[in-house]
């Protein structure tokens, strides 16, 4: 597969950037857990998406983004902001989408390796 061409990885890069800016858009910058969780998580998701774009033959970046998506989904409970409606829904929706995109991307690679 050619480098820099998988739309799923580009989508994860964009979702990482959206996660980074989301505390300011949602007005949730007063809570350090939300602010730093979103910034650090967004940077990691975007960087792993770029890694996946650069090395599309690797499945490890997709597994990492799958785990990051799951952690993002769990973050409202872990970081204690589950009562903030916009911030928790943002984490849940982005977490699911990021995890699903990662799974959809590596599933054909894993299946192909299994059949060889």
């Amino acid at each position: 597969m050619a480098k820099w061409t998988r739309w799923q990885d580009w989508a994860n890069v964009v979702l990482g950037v959206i996660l980074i800016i989301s505390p300011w858009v949602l007005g949730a910058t007063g809570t350090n857990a939300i602010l730093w969780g979103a910034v650090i998580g967004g940077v990691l998701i975007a960087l792993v998406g770029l890694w996946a774009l650069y090395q599309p033959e690797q499945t490890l970046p997709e597994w990492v983004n799958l785990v990051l998506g799951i952690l993002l989904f769990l973050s409202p409970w872990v970081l204690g902001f589950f009562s903030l409606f916009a911030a928790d829904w943002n984490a849940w929706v982005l977490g699911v989408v990021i995890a699903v995109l990662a799974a959809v991307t590596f599933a054909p690679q894993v299946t192909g390796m299994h059949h060889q």
Side-chain angles (χ1 to χ4, degrees):
M1 169 159 279
K3 292 181 182 182
W4 309 104
T5 59
R6 262 197 318 231
W7 69 268
Q8 299 95 327
D9 296 325
W10 281 113
N12 273 335
V13 171
V14 170
L15 292 171
V17 172
I18 289 171
L19 183 59
I20 292 168
I21 63 171
S22 66
W24 290 275
V25 173
L26 300 173
T29 57
T31 307
N32 282 334
I34 296 171
L35 179 62
W36 288 109
V39 170
I40 293 169
V43 167
L44 289 174
I45 290 164
L47 287 175
V48 172
L50 290 171
W51 173 24
L53 284 162
Y54 181 70
Q55 294 184 318
E57 69 283 351
Q58 298 290 321
T59 58
L60 182 59
E62 307 306 337
W63 282 103
V64 172
N65 256 348
L66 176 67
V67 170
L68 289 173
I70 292 168
L71 290 174
L72 178 58
F73 181 84
L74 297 174
S75 67
W77 294 287
V78 174
L79 298 176
F81 63 89
F82 58 88
S83 62
L84 300 171
F85 184 76
D88 56 9
W89 275 98
N90 182 61
W92 293 329
V93 171
L94 288 179
V96 167
V97 172
I98 289 165
V100 167
L101 285 173
V104 165
T105 304
F106 75 71
Q109 292 174 335
V110 171
T111 311
M113 287 188 294
H114 176 43
H115 290 296
Q116 290 180 355

